[in-house]
Amino acid sequence: MSDTRPTRVRPGHQEETPDDRGGSRMIGAMTSDSGQPGVRTAAVRRPGDTIFRTLTTGAGLAIVFAIALIGIFLLIKAVPSLLADKENFLTSANFVTLDPNNLMFGIRDLLIVTVLCSLVALVIAMPVSLGIALFLTQYAPARLSRPFAYIVDLLAAVPSIVYGLWGILVLGPALEPFETWLNATFGWFPLFAKGNIPLAGAGTIFTVGVVLAVMLLPIITSVTREVFRQTPVMQIEGALALGATKWEVIRTTVLPFGRSGYIAASMLGLGRALGETVAVLLILHASPTPSTGSLFDGGYTFASKIASAASEFSQPLPTGAYIAAGLVLFVLTFVVNAVARSIAGGKAAK
Amino acid sequence: MTTTESTLDRPASPPAFQPVSGSRKFKNTAATALVTLAFLVALVPLVWLLITVIARGYQALLSADWWTHSLKGVLPKDFEGGAYHAIIGTLLQTLVCAVIAVPVGVLAAVYLVEYGRGRLARVTTFMVDILSGVPSIVAALFIFALWIGTIGLGQSAFAVSLALVLLMLPVVVRSTEEMLRLVPQELREASYALGVPKWKTIMRIVLPTALSGVVTGVMLAMARVMGETAPVLVLVGYSKSINFNIFDGNMTSLPLLIYNELNNPNPAGQQRVWGAALTLILLIMLFNLVAALVSRFSAIKTK
Amino acid sequence: MKRHGVALGIMAAGALLLTACGSDNNSATGGSSNTSSTSAAPKVDCSGKKTLKASGSTAQKNAMDLFVKAYNDACDGNDVNYTANGSGAGVSDFTGKQTDFAGSDSALDPKKGEPDKAAAACGSPAWDLPVVFGPITLVYNVKGVSDLNLDAATAAKIFDGEIKTWNDAAIKKLNPSATLPSTAISVVYRSDQSGTTDNFQQYLTSAGGWTKGAGKTFNGGVGSGASGNPAVATSLGQTDGGIAYVEWSFAQANKLNIASIVTTAGGTPVKVSADSVGKAIASAAFKNPSGNDLSLDLSSIHKTTATGAYPLLLATYEIVCSKYADPATGKAVKAFLSTAITAGQADLATNGYAPLPDSLKAKLTTAIDAIS
């Protein structure tokens, strides 16, 4: 069965597709003096190939270099403050940086709020985007699919500050009755218990999660639908010929084909959710008490905490405290992506 | 007796078209309903958002001054002037960012798909994921420390473009990479078999085949960076006048205009906020439209 | 290739058209007629640097717009670009030589070494000139209450959580004729670092016995925070039983109920107005009574004994070099500030600020004349 799968190019997995291996060997034979025995080579190393190869490798290296620089910058700024921190960085819920000689800051609450916001956003956005991508590629009439796709892409056109404004002015008040009902009915469950801010205006993690989900939809949908569209027609028709219903066709051909693209798109979306600054800053109310782990809490995410204080960065040690928060976000993104890659990569290698 | 009759009455071979069992039919209908529901669910916030923005902002866009005048000399209460300086600023900053980010991003994606084997490729692809998670404020502070702190050049629109490059790159790389992977290997091998060098294959055959998806990815990335507020807060100053120089002087962009006018409590300020938001959405829609047309006309027919 | 050429040509033509059709020329038709009558302002020397760069406090941004307009009128072709990125950023930009002057909600802080850093950047001492005064208002959203009197001590207890309901005895004492419901008090504070919070907490400390300390972060420990004046005003409107502190202009624009303040002088509660704020400013004392660095001793305003003076206000400073390394910059700064304190004062009251009283104006004029 796997032979009929279209050969997809994957680095590092040459053993999967023998043709790929043979192909590159032939390229080697043609464009480099690889000295294959018994093969008459043109023996000219084309300069175009070398230049191009250097260019592309350089572009890849530039990205690695940029990340390394960002990491170094974060470390340089954050380490002095971390060393001067009087409280445990990972478990303290305070963030008091007014006195440079008496820094007391910790990221426990920031971590909880960021993780909860992003989880809510993903839990809402991932299934909905999957549905939309399937709708656009499999269910919608062909002529309407493009305009519909354009409409969904419009969601990406809205700037994040407008999402923030819409969140506090329109969505928050509208979600408030729903959140009150959730709290009243499911309050026994820790996620829906009473938060550390009043529900008036609904400036809670839940609202932020919903707005983030709306922001993520176009990102995940667009990449996923492009991938779904490329499902080989042969496979779909084969499944149909075997008498599968539409859903069974999708389940057996489109979804497995597009799974890695879908996961990649979701990772892009997750990155966006973790790093979203202005919308979260505007919507999420701050709370004077530590986080309780409820979806109806307020607080700051890593990004909004930095942004709320960015205008007052004047001394190195307090600034470093915020940068340390940025460093944790950086590390968090590393961890999340490593986990996701091992899940998606592991499955794809089967 | 009955059994022999039914055996004789039954057809010799089972009919070609069996009726679909109840549970399969149910699952199919349920799937269709869910998928359509998902699409409608996506439409709800979109329509709601657009209605909010249009209702609050359309009045600003109706005046011709909005598109041709800046805000120089306009008082907070006046319904005067326009957003020309901000529109120009946004376009300039995004264009400069795209000029840097698109080639680097596409080349990096090409590297990952066509050349990357082994350690460096795995590290690079991992780094792209990390870059997508860097918040805009951290990217802005990084460029501040690098461009303005270390290298010593002043605040300018070019610094903003650099920060935007960091934000645009991962989206461009990821979507281009996915599109390139979808190009059938047979196409490449046919080209190699004809003696076409690898670089030419990529430039003339692989990339054009993937072009529509690449362009979609680039447009999505540009849409994201056009609306970024954090870099413009930190890296460039606000100005009410027109400025075409990206290396010197303050330059306003639409997100910066929105952010500043938020602190203007007057109705004129509110109108400018929503007007600028609507302008930004219209600009991006325009870009998307152009991109869709470009990819439609220049795509190679593969089917 | 030809197809791409045509597309590129169209794009280039479009770009040229776009760059050619913009205009900076906005004639303010609607603006007030007062600006022309107060152009009996002293003649300023417009020969300095054409475009000044400044940044800092968001609280004075709207006032800056008015001043810049007056400056544009007085000196054709001269301009000031002001970026409202926050007082802290304004001071760092100034000490980092990125800007020509800074707008800040507090004077340069010796504890942070700011006067020294500024003097090093300028090559001469830096002066704090208080030019813009914005009243801070206590706004509330309580059903059935449209008039409320508060004093500093009660406000301090509300904002740190000691007083929890609206029908508390302390509030009743100040408002004998109002029907106060038993709704819980919901405090809304500024979650971003803000000079408004700093000034408010300083007021509560000097006049109200607030023990939680001042600073740009709210230390009260109760309520919920929203980012920026507009978000606080919105949140207050959505919260029944809410109380918050916002700049006067936001209270006016969002039509929020403003509390009157019973001052240290006693007597009738003072409503906020340009007059009442002006009386408070006039009674201000300076940290250095002689000399041109006019940073204010704010407790003299907070504990004012003048009758009818509204004590809760935000004093924002323009931080300038006393002697600029580039004489053209010095001339331009001088010209701008001179226009600001004369012609620029015209529309301040309708925009939520208080115009300068004459006594302070005189001191400022002396200081500005001494800038070079």
Side-chain angles (χ1 to χ4, degrees), chain C residues 159-170:
Chain C
F159 279 91
D160 74 6
E162 285 174 50
I163 297 181
K164 298 196 206 299
T165 51
W166 281 104
N167 59 358
D168 189 279

Side-chain angles (χ1 to χ4, degrees), chain A residues 158-190:
Chain A
V158 180
S160 45
I161 195 168
V162 174
Y163 273 111
L165 287 175
W166 177 66
I168 51 170
L169 292 173
V170 176
L171 186 67
L175 277 182
E176 193 184 325
F178 178 62
E179 293 187 20
T180 321
W181 173 82
L182 264 183
N183 184 24
T185 327
F186 297 106
W188 47 268
F189 186 54

Side-chain angles (χ1 to χ4, degrees), chain A residues 5 30 34 43 62 69 73 87 95-96 117 128 137 179 188 229 269 271 274 294 296 307 317 337 343:
Chain A
R5 276 227 177 109
M30 281 202 177
S34 57
L69 267 184
F73 153 75
E87 294 196 9
F95 213 98
V96 179
C117 284
V128 177
T137 51
E179 293 187 20
W188 47 268
R229 200 189 298 164
L274 285 174
S294 151
F296 301 128
L317 280 180
N337 277 296
I343 296 179

Side-chain angles (χ1 to χ4, degrees), chain C residues 138-182:
Chain C
L138 288 171
V139 285
Y140 59 94
N141 177 10
V142 185
K143 276 213 217 7
V145 180
S146 54
D147 268 305
L148 189 69
N149 305 322
L150 288 173
D151 67 358
T154 321
K157 292 211 185 71
I158 292 177
F159 279 91
D160 74 6
E162 285 174 50
I163 297 181
K164 298 196 206 299
T165 51
W166 281 104
N167 59 358
D168 189 279
I171 307 182
K172 266 216 201 102
K173 199 162 96 172
L174 293 168
N175 298 278
S177 55
T179 26
L180 299 166
S182 58

Side-chain angles (χ1 to χ4, degrees), chain A residues 27-345:
Chain A
I27 302 166
M30 281 202 177
T31 61
S32 75
D33 40 354
S34 57
Q36 291 279 352
V39 178
R40 219 162 34 96
T41 65
V44 180
R45 175 166 267 152
R46 298 211 174 105
D49 267 332
T50 328
I51 297 176
F52 196 68
R53 192 195 186 105
T54 323
L55 270 179
T56 56
T57 319
L61 279 176
I63 295 183
V64 178
F65 190 56
I67 297 285
L69 267 184
I70 295 181
I72 294 175
F73 153 75
L74 289 176
L75 276 174
I76 293 180
K77 294 262 174 194
V79 166
S81 306
L82 283 173
L83 293 174
D85 189 4
K86 295 224 158 71
E87 294 196 9
N88 187 326
F89 183 61
L90 292 174
T91 57
S92 164
N94 291 333
F95 213 98
V96 179
T97 56
L98 286 171
D99 181 4
N101 299 323
N102 220 355
L103 288 177
M104 297 189 295
F105 61 97
I107 50 134
R108 188 193 75 131
D109 275 0
L110 295 179
L111 188 61
I112 296 177
V113 173
T114 310
V115 167
L116 281 177
C117 284
S118 309
L119 274 181
V120 172
L122 271 189
V123 160
I124 299 177
M126 276 179 76
V128 177
S129 331
L130 186 64
I132 299 174
L134 284 177
F135 180 81
L136 289 174
T137 51
Q138 308 297 327
Y139 287 87
R143 267 180 312 120
L144 289 181
S145 150
R146 225 181 251 274
F148 279 172
Y150 186 70
I151 292 176
V152 176
D153 281 344
L154 270 186
L155 280 175
V158 180
S160 45
I161 195 168
V162 174
Y163 273 111
L165 287 175
W166 177 66
I168 51 170
L169 292 173
V170 176
L171 186 67
L175 277 182
E176 193 184 325
F178 178 62
E179 293 187 20
T180 321
W181 173 82
L182 264 183
N183 184 24
T185 327
F186 297 106
W188 47 268
F189 186 54
L191 273 185
F192 294 121
K194 184 157 167 34
N196 54 12
I197 51 162
L199 273 176
T204 58
I205 295 179
F206 189 80
T207 314
V208 171
V210 171
V211 173
L212 283 180
V214 177
M215 291 169 89
L216 297 191
L217 275 180
I219 301 177
I220 306 181
T221 311
S222 74
V223 176
T224 313
R225 82 161 181 268
E226 287 291 332
V227 172
F228 283 172
R229 200 189 298 164
Q230 303 283 350
T231 320
V233 183
M234 245 174 26
Q235 298 226 324
I236 296 182
E237 292 182 347
L240 282 171
L242 288 170
T245 61
K246 188 149 193 151
W247 168 242
E248 284 164 355
V249 170
I250 293 175
R251 187 165 52 87
T252 53
T253 58
V254 178
L255 286 184
F257 182 77
R259 183 176 44 214
S260 83
Y262 175 60
I263 305 272
S266 304
M267 285 303 110
L268 257 185
L270 177 64
R272 175 82 197 261
L274 285 174
E276 179 52 46
T277 315
V278 180
V280 177
L281 186 65
L282 282 176
I283 301 176
L284 197 60
H285 285 172
S287 162
T289 50
S291 175
T292 62
S294 151
L295 286 182
F296 301 128
D297 274 347
Y300 296 94
T301 59
F302 287 110
S304 73
K305 185 76 179 172
I306 299 176
S308 76
S311 62
E312 303 291 330
F313 283 168
S314 46
Q315 296 166 287
L317 280 180
T319 310
Y322 290 96
I323 304 291
L327 182 60
V328 175
L329 181 58
F330 204 56
V331 171
L332 182 67
T333 318
F334 249 103
V335 167
V336 164
N337 277 296
V339 168
R341 209 149 263 284
S342 70
I343 296 179

